[in-house]
Amino acid sequence: MKTIVVTGGTDGIGKGLGLYYLGRGDRVVAVGSNPDKGRRFLAEARAIGSGERAEYIQADLSLVAENRRVVAHIAESYPVVDALVLAARYYRSTRYETAEGIEHNFALFYLSRYLFSRGLADQMEAGERPVILDLAGPGGDLLAMNWDDLQFARDYRPDQIMMQCGKLSDLAGVGFTAEHPGSRIHYVLAHPGLTATGFTGDYNEADAALAAGMHDRGQSVDAAVAMLRRHLDNPDPEPLSAYMQHTKIDVGGEPFDPAAARRLADITETVLSGSGQPA
Ligand SMILES: NC(=O)c1ccc[n+]([C@@H]2O[C@H](COP(=O)([O-])OP(=O)(O)OC[C@H]3O[C@@H](n4cnc5c(N)ncnc54)[C@H](OP(=O)(O)O)[C@@H]3O)[C@@H](O)[C@H]2O)c1
C-alpha cells in the first residue's frame, strides 16, 4: 500500500487522483481549506469502501505557518510518503495579500509547493519509487517571470500571474533536483489539458464567464486522471521530466534555466525567513 499526499485533494483533479488511488488500495492524505469539501471527500472515500485509508487535513495552504504545521504532521504520521501531488490552486481576479503579507498566488501556488516538496523529501526518499507530481503548465518562456515584482504589487494581472505560476513551478522543479543530487525522487511537471473542475476561486463577472466557458469545454476529471496516473505509477527515469498533456518537453532548455532556479530559490528563502520560523 502506497501513501499519497495530495495538496488540493478535495476538488477537481487532485480529488480525482485521490479517489482513484484509494480505490486501488492505497492510502491518501488530502489537504484543502474548505471543511465541507473535506467531509465530501471522506464520504466519497467511505462510499468506495476506502474510508479507513483516507485522511483529510483542513489547512489554508496560502499561509506559510499552515504549510509548516501540515508538513510536520504528515512527516510525523507517515515515515514513508510514496507520492506527493501538488494541485492546490485558487484564482483571484483581484490582488489579495495573506495575513502573512504575501500575495495569494505566490503563497498558495508556489510557496506551498516549495514547502511540501522540500519538507517531505526525507519521507519520500524512503518510498519505493517516489514521485512528486506538480500540476501546472510547464515549458513557458522565462519572460513570464516578473522578477522585479514577483508578487505583482504594482500591476496585478491574473493572466500574467497564471503564466508566472507555471514558471515558478518549473523553476521549483529544477531547483529541487539541483538541491537533491542522487535523489531517488522523480519530479514531474504536468499540464493535463483543459479539465472541467471546481475552478476554485474568487472571480469578477468577466472572469467567471470565462471560467464557465472553460468548464464547458474541459475534458472530464476522469480523463485527466487517466492521463496523469502513469507519472505516479511509472515515472520517467530522469530526476525531472515535464509534460504538456501527452507531449514530453525538453527540460534542458532555456525555460528550465538552472541560474534562474537558483535566483528564485534565493528570493524564496528570503521571503520564507521573513514569515515566521526559517524554512
Ligand atoms: N483544470 C484545468 O483545466 C487545469 C489545467 C492545467 C493545470 N491545472 C492544474 O491542476 C491543479 C488542480 O486544478 P483543478 O482545476 O483540479 O483545481 P480545483 O478543482 O479548483 O481544486 C483546487 C483545490 O485546491 C484547494 N485549495 C484552494 N485554495 C486552498 C487553500 N488556501 N488551502 C488549501 N487548499 C486550497 C481546493 O480545496 P478548498 O476549496 O477546500 O480549499 C481544491 O481542493 C492546479 O494546480 C491547476 O493549476 C488545471
Side-chain angles (χ1 to χ4, degrees):
M1 177 172 68
K2 290 187 173 180
T3 297
I4 299 170
V5 174
V6 189
T7 65
T10 55
D11 207 345
I13 301 165
K15 179 178 167 186
L17 283 166
L19 291 172
Y20 171 78
Y21 282 97
L22 282 170
R24 223 184 57 169
D26 294 316
R27 175 189 291 127
V28 172
V29 181
V31 190
S33 68
N34 179 334
D36 288 337
K37 289 188 188 178
R39 277 189 283 275
R40 280 201 293 276
F41 166 74
L42 291 176
E44 287 181 55
R46 282 194 296 275
I48 57 170
S50 310
E52 77 289 353
R53 284 180 282 103
E55 183 182 359
Y56 165 63
I57 302 176
Q58 196 263 324
D60 178 354
L61 296 181
S62 71
L63 295 171
V64 171
E66 281 288 86
N67 280 277
R68 289 183 170 135
R69 172 181 73 81
V70 175
V71 165
H73 165 80
I74 293 171
E76 206 176 290
S77 309
Y78 304 106
V80 179
V81 172
D82 297 280
L84 170 62
V85 179
L86 300 168
R89 53 91 73 189
Y90 190 93
Y91 184 92
R92 283 191 179 273
S93 294
T94 53
R95 189 174 188 277
Y96 177 81
E97 274 188 13
T98 68
E100 296 173 333
I102 301 175
E103 192 279 319
H104 194 263
N105 292 287
F106 191 80
L108 178 66
F109 205 103
Y110 171 60
L111 291 180
S112 173
R113 281 160 162 73
Y114 185 93
L115 289 164
F116 265 76
S117 55
R118 274 70 177 170
L120 292 176
D122 288 349
Q123 287 68 29
M124 298 200 73
E125 290 292 355
E128 203 178 300
R129 206 170 182 193
V131 185
I132 297 172
L133 177 61
D134 184 342
L135 298 182
D141 200 302
L142 268 177
L143 285 173
M145 288 293 291
N146 198 22
W147 286 112
D148 295 337
D149 185 18
L150 286 176
Q151 299 186 41
F152 286 79
R154 286 192 290 278
D155 183 18
Y156 185 83
R157 294 267 307 277
D159 51 338
Q160 290 187 1
I161 289 260
M162 288 298 112
M163 283 194 288
Q164 179 175 278
C165 283
K167 288 319 302 166
L168 292 168
S169 269
D170 286 355
L171 298 180
V174 174
F176 182 90
T177 53
E179 290 157 29
H180 299 82
S183 168
R184 300 171 57 250
I185 302 169
H186 303 272
Y187 202 114
V188 184
L189 297 150
H191 187 305
L194 184 63
T195 307
T197 62
F199 288 107
T200 311
D202 188 0
Y203 294 86
N204 63 24
E205 211 174 308
D207 290 348
L210 283 175
M214 285 162 66
H215 194 275
D216 290 346
R217 294 195 308 280
Q219 66 184 340
S220 68
V221 167
D222 285 350
V225 169
M227 185 188 302
L228 293 167
R229 63 185 194 228
R230 62 158 283 220
H231 298 303
L232 296 172
D233 295 339
N234 190 22
D236 289 354
E238 54 267 41
L240 178 68
S241 56
Y243 279 83
M244 187 56 88
Q245 300 184 68
H246 295 290
T247 306
K248 192 167 185 173
I249 296 172
D250 174 18
V251 296
E254 185 266 356
F256 301 90
D257 178 19
R262 281 193 297 277
R263 180 178 180 187
L264 178 61
D266 288 347
I267 294 169
T268 305
E269 288 303 324
T270 304
V271 172
L272 290 174
S273 65
S275 56
Q277 316 134 265

